């Protein structure tokens, strides 16, 4: 049916390159479910970045605007990988042009935009997906399986954290990441991931409490040129306001009654990408730390008491994603950030062509809005001295 599938990436920054690289690899994993992939275009307002990414990753052309992707009738499926405030206008135009869309998290730059995107997808005849890459980690997927299989027994505690240090330097430029209201800072940037993982493993969150938001560096210098991701860049002497939180903490209550404690930060010195979680139950526990992505810790009730104790499980073909998802299918050879983008984008294109489930599909825009609604509840809790706040439902 599909002779080929033409893909494009909008945004050639930090995560845009990960999407660009992922589409190159999607047909190398999980069998032959997809048609040939045509790497059609990379668009970025910064044409130097767009051209460099197109050359590196083997795309046919670099485009100077996202509108040029919308106007190209040969393009079938597109990743939106630019600052969050641009997600809605780009998604609206792509869907109107009949293109399938994979949007980066958080779904949108505001609740209003997020709701508009969900309204858009209700009548859409295309796939509208939002990506949460970390749920594609084999170790995290395995922990979820342990929980779902009841191996940990009744859950008693979830602790999650995503601590980064990319904003520790007060001379770091005021990029789009520091703009937008409360909730669009560390919560939207990295909190979106750990909140998604909490629900992926433990089920829906229905309420939060104890919300605390803080901003350690309230003003930052303006950049004088382009900035990629968290990179250092030349700055001017002019300062601008940081509009959102550097750090946030909260408790969450799941539909099951389980409670969680979660904290996020972009000013946690020495933590380049400190995503970690622990889940405990009455008969077992599991722990993961992304600084050691090829392993997780596990313990459960063993019949032989002398062998009790926490075990280091090395990621390998016995776990989700690894078999068929890694060129060298040998235990202990590692797993990295880029594989998770390959699995995510493979799932998206499988959704587009309707290939039966080699890997779980991405969530819809509605899933992305739910994640934002949890963040919005954390902000409400913080604004009322930590009072409990129910998570709103959009449907
Ligand atoms: N899943 C993950 O692990 C992950 C990691 C990082 C970022 N992200 C998400 O990806 C998105 C992009 O983040 P990033 O770190 O790559 O940002 P970035 O700042 O590195 O890159 C954004 C790019 O968008 C370009 N751009 C700006 N305005 C544009 C326009 N009008 N038209 C075309 N291009 C334009 C910029 O020139 C820049 O190259 C965000 O939504 C972010 O939350 C996800």
């Amino acid at each position: 049916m599909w002779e080929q599938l033409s893909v494009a990436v909008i945004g050639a920054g930090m995560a845009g390159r990960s999407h660009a690289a992922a589409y190159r690899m999607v047909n190398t994993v999980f069998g032959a479910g997809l048609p040939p992939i045509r790497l059609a275009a990379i668009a970025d307002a910064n044409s130097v970045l767009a051209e460099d990414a197109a050359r590196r990753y083997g795309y046919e052309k670099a485009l100077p605007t996202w509108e040029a992707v919308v106007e190209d009738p040969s393009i079938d499926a597109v990743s939106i990988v630019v600052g969050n405030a641009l997600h809605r206008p780009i998604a609206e135009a792509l869907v109107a042009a009949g293109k399938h869309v994979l949007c980066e998290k958080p779904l949108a730059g505001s609740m209003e935009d997020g709701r508009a995107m969900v309204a858009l997808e209700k009548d859409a005849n295309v796939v509208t997906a939002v990506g949460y890459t970390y749920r594609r980690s084999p170790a995290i997927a395995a922990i979820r399986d342990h929980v779902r299989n009841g191996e940990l027994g009744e859950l008693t505690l979830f602790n999650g954290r995503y601590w980064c240090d990319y904003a520790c330097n007060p001379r770091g430029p005021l990029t789009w990441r520091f703009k937008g209201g409360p909730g669009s800072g560390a919560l939207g940037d990295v909190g979106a991931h750990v909140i998604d993982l909490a629900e992926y493993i433990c089920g829906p969150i229905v309420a939060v409490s104890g919300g605390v938001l803080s901003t350690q560096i309230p003003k930052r210098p303006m950049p004088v040129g382009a900035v990629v991701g968290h990179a250092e860049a030349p700055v001017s002497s002019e300062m601008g306001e940081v509009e959102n939180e550097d750090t946030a903490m909260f408790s969450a209550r799941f539909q099951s009654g389980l409670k969680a404690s979660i904290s996020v930060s972009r000013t946690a010195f020495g933590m380049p990408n400190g995503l970690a979680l622990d889940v405990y139950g009455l008969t077992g526990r599991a722990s993961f730390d992304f600084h050691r992505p090829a392993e997780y810790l596990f313990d459960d009730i063993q019949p032989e008491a002398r062998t009790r104790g926490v075990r280091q499980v090395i990621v390998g073909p016995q776990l989700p994603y690894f078999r068929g998802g890694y060129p060298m299918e040998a235990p202990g050879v590692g797993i990295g950030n880029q594989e998770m983008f390959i699995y995510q984008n493979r799932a998206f294109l499988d959704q587009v062509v309707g290939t039966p489930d080699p890997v779980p599909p991405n969530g819809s825009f509605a899933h992305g809005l739910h994640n934002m609604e949890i963040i919005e509840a954390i902000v409400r809790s913080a604004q009322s001295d930590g009072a409990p706040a129910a998570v709103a439902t959009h449907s």
Side-chain angles (χ1 to χ4, degrees):
M1 195 168 45
W2 288 84
E3 280 183 17
Q4 67 174 7
L5 188 48
S6 296
V7 299
V9 178
I10 296 176
M14 184 167 71
R17 295 178 205 186
S18 300
H19 281 254
Y23 285 125
R24 281 184 67 86
M25 295 290 288
V26 287
N27 248 338
T28 69
V29 293
F30 307 126
L34 290 176
I37 304 302
R38 172 176 163 248
L39 304 173
I42 297 189
D44 198 296
N46 181 332
S47 54
V48 174
L49 276 185
E51 278 160 24
D52 179 67
R55 179 184 57 77
R56 280 174 195 272
Y57 300 110
Y59 283 66
E60 282 177 19
K61 60 188 171 191
L63 297 171
T65 65
W66 61 262
E67 288 89 344
V69 174
V70 175
E71 288 157 12
D72 184 337
S74 77
I75 293 172
D76 303 303
V78 182
S79 284
I80 301 176
V81 203
V82 291
N84 310 328
L86 284 168
H87 292 183
R88 175 186 173 181
I90 297 175
E92 285 178 339
L94 289 171
V95 169
K99 301 189 192 305
H100 305 278
V101 177
L102 172 61
C103 185
E104 261 298 342
K105 51 48 65 181
L107 178 67
S110 69
M111 294 303 294
E112 185 188 349
D113 281 6
R115 289 189 193 103
M117 289 172 74
V118 171
L120 172 76
E121 92 177 332
K122 285 196 174 128
D123 299 320
N125 290 322
V126 290
V127 172
T128 45
V130 61
Y132 293 95
T133 34
Y134 287 98
R135 55 166 58 199
R136 308 290 177 179
S137 149
I140 289 174
I143 289 174
R144 178 187 203 247
D145 287 349
H146 287 305
V147 169
R148 297 288 162 112
N149 294 341
E151 293 163 68
L152 275 54
E154 182 186 341
L155 296 186
T156 54
L157 171 68
F158 179 92
N159 185 283
R161 66 163 199 246
Y162 201 157
W163 298 341
C164 300
D165 62 3
Y166 67 80
C168 277
N169 180 359
R171 299 298 297 161
L174 188 80
T175 62
W176 63 264
R177 281 193 156 78
F178 300 94
K179 296 179 184 157
S184 66
L187 277 169
D189 204 31
V190 294
H193 284 298
V194 69
I195 290 167
D196 180 63
L197 294 180
E199 291 201 304
Y200 179 63
I201 294 169
C202 302
I205 291 173
V206 293
V208 300
S209 60
V212 179
L213 310 189
S214 57
T215 302
Q216 284 76 45
I217 301 175
K219 285 182 190 291
R220 290 183 172 274
M222 306 299 287
V224 292
V227 187
V228 177
H230 310 315
E232 290 186 8
V235 292
S236 83
S237 55
E238 190 192 343
M239 302 292 281
E241 296 282 336
V242 171
E243 298 172 3
N244 51 32
E245 69 288 346
D246 287 331
T247 298
M249 293 163 237
F250 64 98
S251 297
R253 180 164 56 81
F254 295 81
Q255 200 169 58
S256 64
L258 175 72
K259 309 289 193 309
S261 174
I262 296 176
S263 56
V264 300
S265 181
R266 59 190 182 192
T267 46
F269 179 82
M271 298 298 275
N273 197 44
L275 171 64
L277 58 89
D278 302 280
V279 55
Y280 285 80
L282 291 175
T283 61
R285 63 160 282 202
S287 297
F288 174 79
D289 183 340
F290 197 71
H291 289 159
R292 303 166 75 95
E295 67 178 56
Y296 66 99
L297 300 180
F298 184 74
D299 193 11
D300 62 354
I301 287 181
Q302 295 289 303
E304 171 54 71
R306 286 189 306 133
T307 62
R308 277 291 308 280
V310 71
R311 310 194 275 295
Q312 177 198 32
V313 181
I314 303 290
V315 168
Q318 82 281 15
L319 300 188
Y321 291 105
F322 202 100
R323 187 176 298 286
Y326 213 68
M328 186 182 288
E329 282 187 2
V333 296
I335 185 89
N337 180 270
Q338 188 56 37
E339 277 83 28
M340 300 187 305
F341 280 94
I342 297 168
Y343 306 155
Q344 167 188 280
N345 290 26
R346 168 68 194 240
F348 169 54
L349 296 186
D350 279 324
Q351 289 173 264
V352 168
V353 302
T355 319
D357 62 356
V359 286
N362 293 287
S364 62
F365 285 176
H367 176 72
L369 180 61
H370 170 69
N371 185 279
M372 290 181 68
E373 283 165 338
I374 295 171
I375 291 174
E376 191 248 354
I378 298 161
V379 172
R380 267 190 285 125
S381 171
Q383 288 171 342
S384 51
D385 291 329
V391 175
T393 48
H394 48 267
S395 50

